[in-house]
Amino acid sequence: MPKVPYAAYLRVYEPLAAFPEPERSHWAEYARRGRLPTAQDEAERALAGLGAVPLRAAPARESGDAFVTTVDGVLCVCPWRTRLRAWEALNEVDSWLLPEAVLDAALPPEVRRRAAEDYAGWRERNPDARPWIRSALWHVPVRWFALFTDEERAFRSSGGGAGGDGPPGLTYRTPMVQARRRVARGLRAVREAMPQGPLIEALTDVGRWLEEFHPRSLVELDYGGLVHTIGEDQLAADRSAAEVAEGLAALAADDLDRASRVYEELTDRWMAIRERQFAN
């Protein structure tokens, strides 16, 4: 059964020491469990609320689950924060590219209004809260690739999972210090070549988000459920991070023609993937 939804994820794993008590002890105990939930488990639990009666646009309580990994012997944790992310996603409904009638049928206006009120009240009590995970439906935002290099790319062919029958996968991982440095370098190149434009705003946004986390964190880009719509051959050939690096290098070298060509080819390819959400 394919993973749902068709989404990519940008995650930050913070070292255990970055969390205050009692949350630190909670995650330390959590990591010792025999089987930890997967990304598929997270998606299924989140989607379950859409089938609840009455319908819920966001979970009634925040998730106590997380993704866990070990970096150089240090336990690092990426809390799901599903409720917060659901609220934030509702603030971005205009970017979902759904006809209004379809959106209203899936999430009626009254349900969205109640969720917005709940979020506003919660945000007043938690002004500094931020998610450890960002998601993008049907595509990977170009700005995310600026955080990584092609050498950090990890492709897994189908059947390469622990059970020998898993789907293909594509991820990138890098230390936080490298991600921040690359964003700053890319932003400098873009600003010098084009003082104004959407890419400046996009890189600034992701850079500010990264600054919220511990400097010894790990940053991960996961193609997630997109692997079921891209196709394994195309996935194996995907070198988007390398293309973004090439385009930014061209900007830094004042080669605007090459930078424009690389950027257009990359965005056209991802737009073709994104438009598959409208396929019958």
Side-chain angles (χ1 to χ4, degrees), residues 132-267:
W132 280 257
I133 305 174
R134 287 189 165 189
S135 58
L137 294 174
W138 291 95
H139 74 299
V140 178
V142 170
R143 60 186 177 274
W144 290 5
F145 292 114
L147 280 59
F148 307 93
T149 66
D150 192 63
E151 290 74 22
E152 294 161 343
R153 177 183 181 275
F155 170 71
R156 184 186 68 246
S157 61
S158 58
D165 59 352
L170 183 55
T171 59
Y172 292 83
R173 280 186 167 188
T174 196
M176 175 63 76
V177 64
Q178 293 286 3
R180 289 177 179 173
R181 184 177 295 126
R182 289 166 187 154
V183 168
R185 188 163 55 235
L187 187 57
R188 183 166 57 250
V190 174
R191 279 176 171 160
E192 290 177 354
M194 300 175 292
Q196 294 182 338
L199 189 55
I200 292 178
E201 182 179 346
L203 287 172
T204 299
D205 173 68
V206 73
R208 286 174 178 168
W209 180 65
L210 294 178
E211 290 293 334
E212 296 285 337
F213 301 98
H214 193 282
R216 291 197 155 188
S217 299
L218 176 76
V219 186
E220 175 186 72
L221 168 57
D222 182 358
Y223 275 45
L226 292 184
V227 300
H228 297 287
T229 189
I230 293 177
E232 186 164 353
D233 291 342
Q234 185 178 355
L235 195 68
D238 187 294
R239 287 293 192 280
S240 294
E243 292 175 70
V244 169
E246 179 186 353
L248 291 175
L251 280 181
D254 202 29
D255 188 345
L256 298 185
D257 289 340
R258 181 162 65 96
S260 177
R261 183 173 64 255
V262 171
Y263 182 75
E264 287 179 5
E265 291 176 356
L266 181 65
T267 54

Side-chain angles (χ1 to χ4, degrees), residues 87-166:
W87 277 331
E88 291 192 342
L90 287 172
N91 283 338
E92 300 173 359
V93 292
D94 290 342
S95 68
W96 293 3
L97 303 179
L98 289 176
E100 185 174 354
V102 174
L103 176 62
D104 289 347
L107 287 171
E110 178 60 22
V111 171
R112 303 203 302 273
R113 183 190 64 78
R114 289 199 305 269
E117 291 176 352
D118 290 343
Y119 180 42
W122 183 89
R123 178 55 77 179
E124 287 184 3
R125 301 187 299 273
N126 302 273
D128 298 324
R130 78 282 196 260
W132 280 257
I133 305 174
R134 287 189 165 189
S135 58
L137 294 174
W138 291 95
H139 74 299
V140 178
V142 170
R143 60 186 177 274
W144 290 5
F145 292 114
L147 280 59
F148 307 93
T149 66
D150 192 63
E151 290 74 22
E152 294 161 343
R153 177 183 181 275
F155 170 71
R156 184 186 68 246
S157 61
S158 58
D165 59 352

